[in-house]
Amino acid sequence: QQPVQSPQAVILREGEDAVINCSSSKALYSVHWYRQKHGEAPVFLMILLKGGEQKGHEKISASFNEKKQQSSLYLTASQLSYSGTYFCGTASGTYKYIFGTGTRLKVLA
Amino acid sequence: DAGVIQSPRHEVTEMGQEVTLRCKPISGHNSLFWYRQTMMRGLELLIYFNNNVPIDDSGMPEDRFSAKMPNASFSTLKIQPSEPRDSAVYFCASGYLNTGELFFGEGSRLTVL
């Protein structure tokens, strides 16, 4: 079953923060985050493993709550280059990587 | 190093025709995934291979779709016969199965008229 992301879309001004949530109905082994710019392929941002620590990438970090089967992506002091669609990807032990519904992020100057 | 290479980048065909999409994964990667992306359904996993062996094809929509990986450096996704609802961007991605980091090709945009 496809993970559900919220919000579906968000518009920010440069310098503002955002949180994107990913929720699964199945027990998760790992959660990965990708960003896809318009007309391009998804690009890997980070992976969070069950029992692992919160990860960070520049001003983008994420957390993984195994019990709640949820992950959140935190974008701090957003930049124009952060615009795109963010996907969470999940695997349930069999390395069957499926992607969430996506969150469209637009950062305005 | 070259990334994942997909061909063709764009394909326009008529309903009923056979379509073959090709993918060359990054050398050394042991897993290969085929995804389909549409506005309505997002990124759908169609099938994935590990060490050239199909592991899960439960996402393949119907018997019209088939995928092969004859060797570690080549995979195909075939649609026969094609239908307008197959119009989408098809992505191939490769990686190491236990890392979760997938490298995507640029995609093949298919339009079935």
Side-chain angles (χ1 to χ4, degrees):
Chain A
Q1 188 129 7
Q2 190 175 31
V4 177
Q5 291 182 227
S6 62
Q8 288 186 316
V10 59
I11 299 175
L12 301 172
R13 293 281 180 189
E14 263 189 304
E16 292 182 338
D17 301 340
V19 179
I20 299 172
N21 300 302
C22 173
S23 181
S24 174
S25 59
K26 299 177 71 172
L28 301 175
Y29 174 77
S30 62
V31 177
H32 348 110
W33 286 95
Y34 287 76
R35 176 171 61 206
Q36 183 179 29
K37 292 187 178 288
H38 183 68
E40 299 180 6
V43 174
F44 176 82
L45 293 176
M46 68 186 75
I47 181 172
L48 299 99
L49 299 176
K50 188 176 179 179
E53 299 175 352
Q54 181 169 339
K55 289 281 191 76
H57 174 76
E58 297 176 345
K59 293 180 180 177
I60 301 174
S61 62
S63 62
F64 178 22
N65 187 322
E66 301 152 24
K67 287 185 178 179
K68 292 185 177 180
Q69 297 166 190
Q70 294 176 341
S71 177
S72 294
L73 185 72
Y74 307 95
L75 298 104
T76 306
S78 58
Q79 307 168 13
L80 294 175
S81 61
Y82 286 4
S83 292
T85 301
Y86 289 78
F87 293 97
C88 64
T90 61
S92 302
T94 59
Y95 305 114
K96 182 177 178 179
Y97 296 120
I98 58 175
F99 286 90
T101 48
T103 296
R104 294 188 307 278
L105 178 76
K106 178 73 173 177
V107 180
L108 303 175
Chain B
D1 288 337
V4 176
I5 299 173
Q6 290 187 245
S7 65
R9 292 293 313 279
H10 301 273
E11 173 93 3
V12 180
T13 191
E14 293 190 344
M15 183 173 63
Q17 297 297 307
E18 177 178 294
V19 173
T20 300
L21 307 178
R22 299 172 178 80
C23 176
K24 178 179 169 55
I26 293 173
S27 177
H29 282 174
N30 63 2
S31 64
L32 184 141
F33 296 73
W34 282 100
Y35 291 92
R36 177 171 70 176
Q37 186 172 39
T38 60
M39 286 293 293
M40 292 297 295
R41 301 171 74 95
L43 265 171
E44 297 176 276
L45 174 63
L46 300 177
I47 184 172
Y48 74 100
F49 297 83
N50 185 37
N51 294 323
N52 313 337
V53 177
I55 303 301
D56 191 318
D57 65 354
S58 59
M60 297 286 262
E62 14 185 307
D63 292 345
R64 298 185 297 107
F65 285 69
S66 62
K68 294 182 180 180
M69 191 165 186
N71 56 61
S73 58
F74 185 66
S75 177
T76 59
L77 178 67
K78 186 175 292 187
I79 308 172
Q80 166 63 19
S82 58
E83 297 182 3
R85 60 192 167 122
D86 301 332
S87 298
V89 179
Y90 290 81
F91 285 104
C92 171
S94 71
Y96 296 107
L97 202 60
N98 61 342
T99 68
E101 180 176 0
L102 300 182
F103 295 81
F104 282 77
E106 294 184 319
S108 294
R109 180 174 294 276
L110 173 66
T111 302
V112 184
L113 303 174

